[in-house]
Amino acid sequence: MKILITGAAGFIGHALIKALSASAEQLVGIDNLNDYYDVRLKEARLKDLEGIENFTFIRADLVDSLAIESVFSSYQFDCVINLAAQAGVRYSLDNPMAYVQSNVVGFLNILEGCRNHGVPRLLYASSSSVYGLSKEVPFSTAQSVDHPISLYAATKKSNELMAHTYSHLYGIQTIGLRFFTVYGPWGRPDMAMFKFTKAILEGRSIDVYNHGALSRDFTYIDDIISGMLRLLEKQDLDACAVFNIGHGSPVNLMDFIKAVEAATGISAKCNYLPMQPGDVEQTWADTQGLFDAVGYKPSIPVTVGAARFVEWYRSYYKI
């Protein structure tokens, strides 16, 4: 199988390329290496992929329609996995244009590439943020997601609508994945696991929003990749589908912090703060749909995931 993976230097993209390297015929990755977070980490992920003979990296921006057209014209892909996006809920309050450009215009360029070059399958990253302030838990894909509370969430909901349209009009199989708080080695510096570990090891306090009264469906990267691989192997899925991909059991933020404390051996200094605009009190994935479709069953608890992350962090930063 020949696969295009966007966001190749990103957290999930890097892990997916490594997982696919033994089975895919050809892997092509693109990334614009933007500076939303430390570019050196993105470059290090790419360096970690060096030596994979069936992997080719191309630096390109999804918004650059000519560059994306060139990539599609140069290869005949069997599948595209779109993981590139401007990430982060809070940053969308400060820089909304970046989200519309990357997540809407950029996604349209990917859809057009699939349409114009006969790519039959598209897997793409959506987000648990589309559920907004829903009090109906666990979050089910059968629920209405018409009330996003951040522009980031609105762009992800837009992606689902755009994918549905292209699936209907052009027969492209589109599979949307609503990711739930992914963490693990090589993770993003703007995410809680990375931020908490860094601050605790440096002896600084950590910001704890809503005074700790938050819970998240923290999902370890290996479980995410397992689910994605199962979807890639399954050929008889619906023409247009959206799945939750999470752990299916939310963890209280204070318990999450305890897991990081146990992994580092250091007690956290907590700076308790009020709720942040655009944030939600809890996320909780109903993953029954993905289990029914491909047998997805995550297995890594947060205590194990935290220990693995801290071990990677100490090794990577040599501390």
Side-chain angles (χ1 to χ4, degrees):
M1 187 181 294
K2 298 179 181 179
I3 305 173
L4 170 65
I5 300 172
T6 74
F11 174 32
I12 299 175
H14 162 260
L16 183 61
I17 290 166
K18 291 187 74 171
L20 284 170
S21 61
S23 59
E25 177 185 350
Q26 185 174 43
L27 297 169
V28 176
I30 63 175
D31 203 294
N32 66 355
L33 297 175
N34 71 22
D35 61 358
Y36 169 64
Y37 61 79
D38 191 353
V39 175
R40 291 173 297 181
L41 178 57
K42 299 180 181 183
E43 292 171 340
R45 292 188 189 121
L46 289 176
K47 187 172 181 58
D48 188 55
L49 298 176
E50 289 180 359
I52 298 177
E53 295 182 357
N54 56 342
F55 172 64
T56 301
F57 175 70
I58 300 170
R59 184 165 184 171
D61 195 311
L62 293 194
V63 178
D64 186 342
S65 59
L66 294 179
I68 299 305
E69 168 61 22
S70 176
V71 172
F72 276 92
S73 297
S74 300
Y75 303 89
Q76 186 60 51
F77 297 115
D78 301 301
C79 179
V80 172
I81 304 173
N82 186 66
L83 300 172
Q86 179 55 61
V89 170
R90 292 170 189 144
Y91 185 64
S92 68
L93 302 175
D94 302 321
N95 196 357
M97 193 60 69
Y99 288 77
V100 174
Q101 286 294 310
S102 180
N103 301 5
V104 179
V105 176
F107 189 60
L108 178 60
N109 286 336
I110 292 297
L111 288 168
E112 280 289 276
C114 291
R115 175 173 79 96
N116 293 328
H117 294 276
V119 180
R121 300 186 85 195
L122 169 66
L123 274 68
Y124 65 95
S126 185
S127 168
S128 62
S129 66
V130 300
Y131 290 105
L133 295 175
S134 176
K135 301 296 184 183
E136 185 181 343
V137 292
F139 296 159
S140 166
T141 55
Q143 292 174 223
S144 170
V145 288
D146 293 336
H147 302 94
I149 61 167
S150 70
L151 185 63
Y152 172 71
T155 62
K156 289 301 183 178
K157 169 64 174 176
S158 298
N159 287 171
E160 294 181 7
L161 293 172
M162 294 162 71
H164 183 277
T165 301
Y166 270 67
S167 180
H168 172 73
L169 290 175
Y170 308 115
I172 303 167
Q173 183 187 62
T174 62
I175 300 169
L177 298 173
R178 293 177 179 171
F179 291 113
F180 280 73
T181 318
V182 188
Y183 74 98
W186 295 98
R188 282 170 32 199
D190 61 320
M191 299 293 282
M193 179 62 79
F194 200 114
K195 291 166 69 174
F196 289 172
T197 298
K198 180 174 172 29
I200 288 171
L201 289 176
E202 293 176 355
R204 296 182 291 105
S205 62
I206 61 175
D207 290 339
V208 181
Y209 293 104
N210 204 35
H211 305 282
L214 297 172
S215 62
R216 293 287 181 269
D217 201 329
F218 292 102
T219 314
Y220 190 68
I221 183 65
D222 288 7
D223 286 331
I224 291 288
I225 297 304
S226 173
M228 296 181 73
L229 293 179
R230 286 170 178 263
L231 284 168
L232 282 170
E233 292 167 1
K234 184 81 167 177
Q235 297 297 319
D236 58 345
L237 295 167
D238 291 342
C240 181
V242 175
F243 295 105
N244 287 333
I245 184 164
H247 195 275
S249 55
V251 177
N252 180 272
L253 182 59
M254 299 311 298
D255 291 334
F256 181 74
I257 292 170
K258 288 177 183 177
V260 181
E261 289 177 323
T264 58
I266 303 171
S267 296
K269 304 171 188 175
C270 297
N271 178 32
Y272 294 100
L273 297 168
M275 194 72 160
Q276 291 291 287
D279 216 344
V280 297
E281 289 188 8
Q282 68 172 331
T283 62
W284 181 357
D286 178 346
T287 60
Q288 187 63 45
L290 193 53
F291 175 79
D292 290 343
V294 296
Y296 169 77
K297 192 173 183 180
S299 62
I300 308 298
V302 72
T303 50
V304 173
R308 291 180 183 177
F309 176 81
V310 171
E311 180 182 14
W312 168 83
Y313 186 95
R314 290 183 184 277
S315 174
Y316 180 78
Y317 288 103
K318 298 178 173 57
I319 57 175

